Amino acid sequence: MKQFKFYTSICTALLLVSCASYTPDPVSLDRDGTEWFAVSTRLCPPNSSLNQGSMRSIGLLLNPELNRVRLSYAAETEVANYAGLWEDPSLSVEGVRVLRENFNNNSIGPALSIPVTGLPALAKQVAEQYNEADYWNVRAMERSFLSDLDVLRYNILVIHSKLKLIRERLSQVKKEKNDIDRLYKLGEVELSDYQASCQRYNDTMKESQELENAHLAKRHELIAQLGLHPAVGAIELSGSLPSGVPALVRPPSVEHLLESPELHSKLAAYGASETELRTEIRKQYPELTIGPSLTREEGNEKIGIGLEMSLPIWNRNRMAIAKATGERDLKHHDTIAMWRKLQQDVAALDARQKLAAEHCRTEHERLLNLQETGNRQEQLYRLGETSLPALADARHEIFQRRMSYLDCLGTLLEIQTKLQYLNPYYQP
């Protein structure tokens, strides 16, 4: 009886020592707000100007979606570290009291499952493969985030350039309108020219307001994408747009696309689905449980050993095998679909890049020609050989071509940025 109590206490102590303990982690919104503001102002001080490298560093550090994916990957890594462990042994204890004879019969028997089918090793492999898929998914999301961030930066730079142009033009249009209004009252300008001047001023004012709204929206979008506290206020960007039409970006080859993190993630997930199917097939075969026993009966101590074997006779795990087979087929389809999508995206972006570059060059040539014509118009006006309405029309045409060129340039830069990030060897 003493031995029985001794073994029982040892097993109980080992069980309690190996258990995990709960640590509370309450959500404190006030503390989070204070820490968020402190980190944001340290990384992006007020009235500071962010370059492209600073934007990327801040975004990779604070973007909430990226941090959520990283936390999920960290959790899956922890799960993979403990996957594939054998099942814990079981312990059976029995006590019987014989009433008439007035003595006790006791028995204790530990049991251990022997994974003869290798299921723990397969579970470990599945966890590692899904963990690898999560790793590549994090890499893919980081590159997608950087691509979107670079595109947003170019969009803001384009809006900045257009705002500068339209503010200069608005001041010029206002002066033209006042001069034409004075000439109209003197009878030196036709009514149609006067109405065109008023309409031009109103249209330019409306376009300026729309650009200011777009700039405000993009500024808040940038703050949210970087994960900064809204109290940091306006963020100024350093850098400028290319002075001319950028050269074409070389699209990634098929061999380069084979190293895409998106494709690696799908391949790892497909490998995990194959291992899961092998696991379910292995479960058709029996598992073995072995356990010694120590029995005290009528004052005599007995030692024995027991074997237990599962008998999967009836269903043979057919439902689980069918599910695993279907899941593998879906993963196979997703992998092929991702591979095809990458090639389609490259082809589409390359074609769009060539067309956008052609449009950009055309607009640039038209702008240069109009600027030459505009310079001659300015000279003729100073010599008194042309009218103010004609000069105003020439100025506005140049302004519109400048705005159109900036739109074409922004489109080209956006396409080239996306095309660059499709190349897994591109280092931002």
Side-chain angles (χ1 to χ4, degrees):
M1 187 64 181
K2 292 181 179 179
Q3 291 180 348
F4 173 76
K5 293 182 178 179
F6 173 75
Y7 290 129
T8 304
S9 62
I10 290 295
C11 292
T12 303
L14 291 175
L15 179 63
L16 293 176
V17 169
S18 61
C19 289
S21 59
Y22 167 73
T23 303
D25 186 16
V27 176
S28 176
L29 299 180
D30 292 337
R31 182 184 62 188
D32 174 76
T34 303
E35 294 175 352
W36 184 25
F37 177 76
V39 171
S40 298
T41 52
R42 187 180 75 248
L43 294 176
C44 185
N47 301 321
S48 61
S49 180
L50 295 180
N51 57 29
Q52 194 172 27
S54 300
M55 286 178 56
R56 290 168 175 170
S57 299
I58 294 173
L60 289 174
L61 180 64
L62 297 183
N63 182 264
E65 294 182 2
L66 288 181
N67 286 328
R68 188 181 188 281
V69 173
R70 289 166 182 154
L71 286 174
S72 177
Y73 170 65
E76 292 299 326
T77 301
E78 192 71 11
V79 170
N81 291 336
Y82 294 104
L85 299 178
W86 284 21
E87 292 186 10
D88 289 331
S90 61
L91 181 66
S92 61
V93 179
E94 182 180 3
V96 178
R97 180 175 179 82
V98 182
L99 297 179
R100 293 185 178 181
E101 302 296 333
N102 196 23
F103 61 82
N104 297 327
N105 292 334
N106 304 308
S107 65
I108 180 172
L112 178 65
S113 296
I114 307 297
V116 293
T117 55
L119 291 180
L122 290 176
K124 179 71 172 178
Q125 186 177 352
V126 168
E128 290 176 345
Q129 287 172 320
Y130 275 124
N131 190 45
E132 181 185 358
D134 289 338
Y135 165 77
W136 288 111
N137 185 47
V138 171
R139 290 283 305 277
M141 288 200 64
E142 287 177 346
R143 292 183 66 84
S144 177
F145 167 78
L146 290 176
S147 175
D148 293 341
L149 186 63
D150 286 356
V151 168
L152 179 58
R153 175 177 176 271
Y154 282 130
N155 290 339
I156 294 175
L157 290 177
V158 167
I159 291 178
H160 281 175
S161 299
K162 293 174 74 174
L163 275 174
K164 181 180 178 181
L165 278 178
I166 203 168
R167 285 167 181 166
E168 294 175 353
R169 178 58 185 153
L170 188 61
S171 176
Q172 192 178 49
V173 167
K174 185 176 181 181
K175 185 178 183 303
E176 291 171 356
K177 177 180 175 298
N178 293 335
D179 292 341
I180 293 176
D181 186 27
R182 186 177 65 255
L183 293 174
Y184 173 70
K185 292 177 180 179
L186 295 174
E188 298 181 7
V189 170
E190 299 291 334
L191 176 61
S192 59
D193 292 332
Y194 169 74
Q195 291 175 338
S197 174
C198 294
Q199 185 65 42
R200 185 184 302 121
Y201 175 77
N202 293 332
D203 291 344
T204 307
M205 176 64 73
K206 181 181 178 181
E207 189 174 0
S208 175
Q209 293 171 349
E210 292 175 349
L211 273 176
E212 289 175 349
N213 289 332
H215 177 260
L216 181 63
K218 289 295 181 182
R219 186 183 72 183
H220 287 288
E221 182 181 348
L222 176 62
I223 292 175
Q225 196 162 347
L226 293 179
L228 292 170
H229 196 285
V232 298
I235 299 178
E236 296 296 332
L237 302 181
S238 62
S240 59
L241 295 172
S243 57
V245 179
L248 294 180
V249 172
R250 184 178 180 180
S253 63
V254 175
E255 290 76 15
H256 289 168
L257 292 179
L258 290 173
E259 301 300 324
S260 298
E262 296 90 347
L263 187 59
H264 276 296
S265 179
K266 295 296 184 182
L267 287 170
Y270 172 71
S273 69
E274 281 205 311
T275 308
E276 286 177 326
L277 177 58
R278 290 168 52 201
T279 301
E280 299 302 333
I281 292 175
R282 290 278 184 91
K283 289 180 181 179
Q284 297 179 107
Y285 305 105
E287 287 288 349
L288 181 64
T289 301
I290 184 172
S293 62
L294 174 62
T295 306
R296 181 180 178 82
E297 184 177 354
E298 297 180 2
N300 298 320
E301 294 183 351
K302 302 177 182 179
I303 296 177
I305 189 170
L307 294 175
E308 180 181 347
M309 181 179 294
S310 61
L311 297 176
I313 297 177
W314 309 116
N315 60 62
R316 302 193 65 81
N317 205 33
R318 289 187 177 89
M319 185 178 72
I321 292 174
K323 288 183 177 179
T325 302
E327 192 65 26
R328 184 187 65 169
D329 293 341
L330 287 175
K331 293 291 195 302
H332 182 274
H333 173 270
D334 291 344
T335 304
I336 297 298
M338 175 57 69
W339 170 239
R340 293 177 179 179
K341 181 179 183 299
L342 288 172
Q343 298 179 73
Q344 291 169 346
D345 289 346
V346 168
L349 287 172
D350 187 34
R352 290 179 58 198
Q353 174 192 214
K354 294 175 181 177
L355 184 60
E358 181 181 349
H359 291 170
C360 208
R361 284 191 293 268
T362 301
E363 286 295 327
H364 191 257
E365 292 174 0
R366 292 176 64 187
L367 177 59
L368 293 178
N369 293 332
L370 282 173
Q371 285 177 338
E372 291 180 2
T373 304
N375 291 333
R376 289 194 296 268
Q377 286 282 88
E378 295 284 352
Q379 294 173 359
L380 292 174
Y381 178 72
R382 286 194 293 268
L383 295 174
E385 297 182 6
T386 187
S387 64
L388 180 58
L391 177 62
D393 290 339
R395 287 173 176 173
H396 202 68
E397 180 66 18
I398 294 173
F399 162 73
Q400 289 178 330
R401 293 281 68 78
R402 285 178 175 174
M403 299 289 280
S404 179
Y405 171 71
L406 286 175
D407 288 334
C408 290
L409 181 60
T411 300
L412 177 60
L413 292 173
E414 178 177 346
I415 294 172
Q416 289 185 334
T417 299
K418 294 179 179 179
L419 190 58
Q420 284 175 326
Y421 277 96
L422 281 179
N423 188 345
Y425 294 100
Y426 173 68
Q427 297 298 327

